[in-house]
Amino acid sequence: MATASPPLASGRKAKAIISAARESLAKMIGGQPQDIIFTSGGTESNNLVIHSVLQHFHKAHTSEGDAAERRLLGEGAMPHFITCTVEHDSIRLPLEHLVEEQVAAVTFVPVSKVNGQAEADDILAAIRPATCLVTIMLANNETGVIMPIPELGRRVAALNQQRVASGLPRILLHTDAAQALGKRRVDVRDLGVDFLTIVGHKLYGPRIGALYVRGLGERTPLYPMLFGGGQERGFRPGTENTPMIAGLGKAAELVTENCEAYEAHMRAVRDYLEARLVAEFNKKIHFNSQFPGTERLPNTCNFSIRGPQLQGRLVLAQCRTLLASVGAACHSDQGDRPSPVLLSCGIPADVARNALRLSVGRSTTQAEVDLVVQDLKQAVARLEGQA
């Protein structure tokens, strides 16, 4: 497989494939191709954002930076990051590490127990003079709750005008869109973000990722974590994984063409699933991701079947057909401990401990839903029979 760098025919072909994929990703999110950087996945993209903002803050507060900003913030000012309590570990853990290393301050804004969202008012209230990044996911991976990123984008933009006028640094806005892409339309112009994380396998592509950076290198800074051959304009060096990039480009193309159809199908099947769960389990069912007036992803159903011996892990162990998780699939080794995300959303511990997260897909049918609900019914009967 040729690399995209050598001036050979095969190299030029690989370069063209990568360029086409970059254009497909940009079109999917309403951005510009030159603002897309390919990465290994969502974890790298999220870490790259945090690393870049930290580096940019320090550069601006050295002898190279703006003297007026340094005077306003004070010598030795520590950069301040804002996120929320239900973020993915690839945001939470790097930020916690910065706090442990005493190189940054971080505010974890609690989500509302009424609507499951990180509310714009609470995020704006946490802003300080040294705030440099607000990072809030577009949709939660366990509940499917959509966060108010467009509102946040508008309000941060308005605040930035005031900050710049008074000599304070601009606050950058990042959203991890991993869970939302492929399930609803995502447009960076509507969101008003500076950074947006893209994850291939969440939209039926290969396990690779990308990062959107608005006005890359000009309006919005990006500092490499790696140094090497200069690929991706030096922002993310390393020989390009052309086949995986091509697959991600094709996945993005399909989303651009079919997103409304995917969304309508998933919502219809998910709603059918929830109706069947109510029909079978009646008042024993508690839906953990239904908050009044709050929009959620069309594919996600997080629920608990109430009962002292019906912990999510035990129910799944009894299932013969269903493949699911009790929370985030990428760190589902927490035993019977209730999900911190559900607890943050106000779900009682005994209910959260019984949680199951089911996700329907583009090809899931109502007949398959019927099989799953029957499987759950039998698993619950077996567990209750053992009590």
Side-chain angles (χ1 to χ4, degrees):
M1 176 61 68
T3 64
S5 302
L8 305 172
S10 55
R12 288 194 297 272
K13 184 177 180 181
K15 189 173 183 178
I17 290 170
I18 291 170
S19 294
R22 202 184 308 276
E23 289 178 9
S24 294
L25 260 69
K27 187 176 181 181
M28 176 179 69
I29 62 169
Q32 297 298 318
Q34 64 268 25
D35 291 343
I36 301 290
I37 293 291
F38 291 109
T39 68
S40 62
T43 293
E44 183 186 345
S45 293
N46 287 345
N47 276 263
L48 182 55
V49 170
I50 293 167
H51 165 83
S52 294
V53 174
L54 184 69
Q55 292 294 313
H56 184 66
F57 184 93
H58 287 310
K59 188 173 182 179
H61 293 84
T62 64
S63 57
E64 306 171 44
D66 187 296
E69 272 188 23
R70 289 204 305 278
R71 281 195 303 272
L72 281 167
L73 295 178
E75 292 298 328
M78 188 177 285
H80 176 237
F81 294 76
I82 297 174
T83 188
C84 75
T85 53
V86 299
E87 291 292 319
H88 190 270
D89 280 354
S90 60
I91 289 291
R92 181 179 64 83
L93 293 177
L95 291 177
E96 287 180 351
H97 176 71
L98 296 184
V99 173
E100 288 168 8
E101 295 293 310
Q102 298 184 335
V103 295
V106 180
T107 299
F108 291 90
V109 174
V111 295
S112 165
K113 290 177 168 52
V114 175
N115 59 28
Q117 294 179 320
E119 296 189 316
D121 283 346
D122 295 333
I123 293 162
L124 270 288
I127 288 174
R128 308 173 186 173
T131 301
C132 52
L133 180 71
V134 172
T135 173
I136 303 290
M137 61 190 359
L138 184 50
N140 184 262
N141 48 315
E142 292 191 37
T143 63
V145 166
I146 307 295
M147 300 294 178
I149 303 301
E151 179 191 358
L152 192 57
R154 290 189 297 272
R155 295 180 66 176
V156 169
L159 180 61
N160 275 335
Q161 290 183 334
Q162 300 171 25
R163 286 173 66 94
V164 171
S166 64
L168 288 173
R170 190 165 66 91
I171 298 167
L172 296 168
L173 179 59
H174 166 244
T175 192
D176 179 351
Q179 205 68 24
L181 284 164
K183 305 175 186 80
R184 59 182 281 126
R185 282 288 171 201
V186 173
D187 192 311
V188 293
R189 295 164 295 190
D190 297 334
L191 298 176
V193 294
D194 300 293
F195 302 100
L196 182 139
T197 294
I198 299 167
V199 177
H201 65 273
K202 296 292 187 178
L203 49 102
Y204 287 66
R207 292 185 183 275
I208 190 171
L211 179 66
Y212 161 81
V213 186
R214 177 164 56 164
L216 173 58
E218 296 176 5
R219 176 189 169 92
T220 307
L222 194 70
Y223 290 79
M225 291 192 293
L226 308 173
F227 296 89
Q231 294 86 353
E232 293 299 288
R233 291 160 282 168
F235 292 112
R236 202 286 183 184
T239 301
E240 301 94 339
N241 191 338
T242 306
M244 298 278 269
I245 290 172
L248 179 56
K250 184 62 180 178
E253 188 182 314
L254 290 171
V255 168
T256 301
E257 293 171 359
N258 304 299
C259 190
E260 284 79 10
Y262 294 155
E263 183 178 3
H265 172 78
M266 286 187 277
R267 178 171 285 108
V269 176
R270 191 273 312 277
D271 291 350
Y272 177 75
L273 166 64
E274 292 183 347
R276 290 284 290 110
L277 288 169
V278 170
E280 289 295 342
F281 297 104
N282 202 357
K283 292 182 179 178
K284 291 175 72 172
I285 278 285
H286 183 275
F287 290 111
N288 303 319
S289 53
Q290 290 186 3
F291 296 92
T294 300
E295 193 179 358
R296 58 183 170 136
L297 293 175
N299 71 315
T300 307
C301 173
N302 193 312
F303 66 96
S304 300
I305 306 172
R306 290 188 179 93
Q309 65 276 10
L310 299 180
Q311 287 80 24
R313 181 180 59 85
L314 298 179
V315 173
L316 286 180
Q318 290 289 333
C319 288
R320 311 286 166 82
T321 302
L322 173 63
L323 296 174
S325 66
V326 295
C330 47
H331 45 86
S332 56
D333 56 350
Q334 298 187 18
D336 284 335
R337 283 179 292 168
S339 159
V341 168
L342 296 185
L343 295 179
S344 294
C345 294
I347 306 299
D350 61 326
V351 177
R353 196 171 286 114
N354 289 18
L356 295 170
R357 185 193 65 167
L358 303 192
S359 299
V360 304
R362 296 175 187 175
S363 59
T364 307
T365 65
Q366 290 190 358
E368 289 170 333
V369 167
D370 290 336
L371 286 174
V372 162
V373 172
Q374 185 62 23
D375 196 18
L376 281 169
K377 185 179 178 182
Q378 292 171 353
V380 167
R382 282 191 287 270
L383 288 169
E384 290 181 330
Q386 292 169 11

